[in-house]
Amino acid sequence: MSVNPMAYEAQFFGFTPQTCMLRVYIAFQDYLFEMMLVVESVILKKLDGFPGCKISPCQIRKSTEKFLLFMKEHFDKLFSKMEEVLLQLVLNVPENVLLPEDKVHEQYPYTKEQFQALQDEIQQLQQQYRAEASAGQALQAELEEQKAVRAELEKILQWFDGLDNICREHGTSNFKESFAFLTQNSKKLQDVLKDVEKKSKRIKKHDQLL
């Protein structure tokens, strides 16, 4: 069998010529084996009509195998010649023939150097695309973070608006004055809390003495 890959022929036919020839060879070989079995069975039937014949079925089988080997050797030689002719004249795409899907190469021919330059450019564009995609993801994450911060700021502004309304209800219209008012009340509450804690400690000590 031929060892030439014949890739262009495989592209055109949809199968490798060597595969085609192998299947033909196997089909012929199977037919030859079947034919020899038929011949053997016919000989055995003919011998049954001659009671005095001294040829045994075992001898017939040996003769059949010997004849089959002889036929196979000649068949292999003939098939080798047939394969060479078919691969060269029938299953071969001439060098001057260009397949329709490869017409673009004829219109836009490129040298190896030009093709390599295109490959390098494609690789650079891919790297640039990855970098831009990574930057886009970073920007998207930053936007999400800004949205979260904006939401927190809006909550704080709403809290200040509510605080300003409370202060207005208590007669303070200026936010600074309102904040000072709240600070003073907070200090007073802290002083009251400290006083309550001191009194609580005194009561505990008095109860322990009793």
Side-chain angles (χ1 to χ4, degrees):
M1 298 294 290
S2 173
V3 296
N4 183 7
M6 302 182 73
Y8 209 54
E9 286 75 10
Q11 181 182 346
F12 176 73
F13 292 111
F15 57 85
T16 60
Q18 290 88 345
T19 302
C20 177
M21 296 306 303
L22 178 62
R23 290 177 178 176
V24 172
Y25 175 81
I26 292 174
F28 271 104
Q29 191 178 53
D30 292 342
Y31 180 75
L32 179 62
F33 291 161
E34 292 176 1
M35 183 184 67
M36 294 308 300
L37 290 175
V38 172
V39 171
E40 185 182 58
S41 64
V42 171
I43 293 174
L44 289 173
K45 288 181 180 179
K46 292 293 184 179
L47 289 177
D48 289 339
F50 298 94
C53 183
K54 297 182 180 180
I55 301 175
S56 65
C58 182
Q59 290 175 328
I60 294 174
R61 172 53 61 92
K62 289 182 179 180
S63 299
T64 304
E65 290 178 352
K66 186 176 180 181
F67 183 69
L68 177 62
L69 182 61
F70 170 80
M71 292 289 292
K72 188 176 181 305
E73 290 176 355
H74 283 73
F75 170 73
D76 289 343
K77 293 179 181 179
L78 292 174
F79 188 85
S80 179
K81 295 180 180 179
M82 182 180 70
E83 178 190 17
E84 184 179 355
V85 172
L86 290 176
L87 291 178
Q88 290 181 358
L89 302 179
V90 179
L91 299 175
N92 180 45
V93 177
E95 295 182 357
N96 60 335
V97 175
L98 193 64
L99 298 182
E101 57 267 29
D102 293 333
K103 289 290 185 181
V104 65
H105 299 298
E106 185 180 25
Q107 296 176 359
Y108 306 100
Y110 282 95
T111 62
K112 291 183 178 180
E113 291 76 12
Q114 291 174 327
F115 180 76
Q116 185 61 41
L118 285 174
Q119 291 291 99
D120 296 339
E121 185 177 355
I122 291 172
Q123 188 175 4
Q124 291 177 0
L125 290 173
Q126 288 176 343
Q127 292 176 354
Q128 187 176 8
Y129 169 77
R130 294 191 190 97
E132 290 179 356
S134 178
Q137 292 177 355
L139 288 174
Q140 186 66 29
E142 186 176 352
L143 287 174
E144 295 295 331
E145 186 177 353
Q146 289 180 0
K147 288 180 181 179
V149 172
R150 184 176 180 179
E152 292 296 327
L153 288 174
E154 288 179 353
K155 290 181 182 179
I156 293 173
L157 289 174
Q158 291 176 0
W159 180 79
F160 276 117
D161 289 339
L163 185 62
D164 190 39
N165 292 331
I166 293 172
C167 292
R168 287 178 181 177
E169 291 176 359
H170 288 80
T172 53
S173 59
N174 193 316
F175 178 75
K176 290 183 178 180
E177 294 177 358
S178 301
F179 192 74
F181 172 74
L182 289 174
T183 303
Q184 291 176 0
N185 287 335
S186 177
K187 288 182 178 179
K188 288 180 181 180
L189 287 173
Q190 289 178 358
D191 293 338
V192 171
L193 181 61
K194 289 180 181 179
D195 188 42
V196 170
E197 288 178 352
K198 288 180 180 179
K199 289 181 180 180
S200 176
K201 289 179 180 179
R202 290 175 184 174
I203 291 171
K204 288 181 179 180
K205 287 181 179 181
H206 180 71
D207 291 340
Q208 289 175 357
L209 292 175
L210 293 177

